[in-house]
Amino acid sequence: MSRSPSTSVSNKATSAKNYIRNGDFETGRLAPWELVEGKMVVEEFNGSHQAKIAKAETNSHQIKNLVDLEAGHYEFGITVTSPNAGEPTQTASKPSETVAIWYCMFQHEAVIYIENQYSLFLGPEPFTYTNPFDIPEGVKQLSVHVIIINNPKAPGPTYVDNVSITKID
């Protein structure tokens, strides 16, 4: 049902429909994303609106967005940046931010499959993660969750942009 995740650093534009509403945060607001845990705001960074995750008292920061989809082949994408982080490895001397990305499939309000749970160590450069996946027959909705793990030793903040789900055939 799933395919192997891949990572890439890319700024190429795509004309494919993004099924996630406000995935690039260009409205200047978080909605229709729902804040599940922690604190996130939308602000301008590197010339575009992005979701900013600052340090907080919670262990993680999480937003979610519900997406209506039909059966088929799709690709999930996201760009994350932690401009003050060290290199994208976890070491005692230069800790980095960590982002966990996951999404669940729902059928008739019941979770039937958790597609992915993936952790990335972030460095100071924008990092784009993509992962192809399949939606089986009968699934009507995908709940997309973006989680930033709060590392108290990392310098923060972290920015999220270009969250997308596009159909591939």
Side-chain angles (χ1 to χ4, degrees):
M1 183 183 282
S2 65
R3 300 177 188 161
S4 299
S6 64
T7 56
S8 64
V9 177
S10 171
N11 289 326
K12 68 179 182 178
T14 179
S15 60
K17 176 185 177 184
N18 184 1
Y19 287 87
I20 296 183
R21 294 178 325 226
N22 198 26
D24 60 4
F25 305 101
E26 285 307 311
T27 64
R29 300 182 334 200
L30 198 57
W33 290 91
E34 178 185 329
L35 183 64
V36 177
E37 178 181 19
K39 182 178 180 182
M40 290 191 193
V41 296
V42 175
E43 68 176 40
E44 196 164 322
F45 176 73
N46 279 347
S48 69
H49 285 94
Q50 299 185 26
K52 177 185 176 184
I53 298 92
K55 292 297 178 193
E57 300 297 319
T58 61
N59 289 332
S60 65
H61 310 271
Q62 180 179 174
I63 54 176
K64 74 175 184 178
N65 197 331
L66 295 176
V67 182
D68 295 326
L69 297 173
E70 59 190 39
H73 306 290
Y74 295 87
E75 182 173 79
F76 173 81
I78 187 171
T79 301
V80 286
T81 308
S82 187
N84 299 325
E87 291 306 308
T89 57
Q90 189 65 30
T91 66
S93 62
K94 283 196 147 188
S96 63
E97 293 289 354
T98 304
V99 61
I101 302 162
W102 60 282
Y103 33 97
C104 299
M105 294 181 196
F106 287 83
Q107 183 178 17
H108 305 295
E109 300 180 8
V111 176
I112 62 167
Y113 185 75
I114 296 178
E115 174 64 33
N116 194 6
Q117 189 155 5
Y118 197 80
S119 293
L120 303 168
F121 293 120
L122 302 179
E125 297 299 318
F127 181 81
T128 298
Y129 166 83
T130 59
N131 184 40
F133 65 96
D134 296 320
I135 296 286
E137 291 292 332
V139 173
K140 302 294 183 196
Q141 198 170 61
L142 191 68
S143 179
V144 179
H145 295 245
V146 176
I147 303 169
I148 306 296
I149 307 301
N150 191 16
N151 180 346
K153 295 181 181 179
T158 299
Y159 293 90
V160 175
D161 198 13
N162 303 319
V163 184
S164 65
I165 291 180
T166 54
K167 192 163 190 176
I168 53 177
D169 287 312

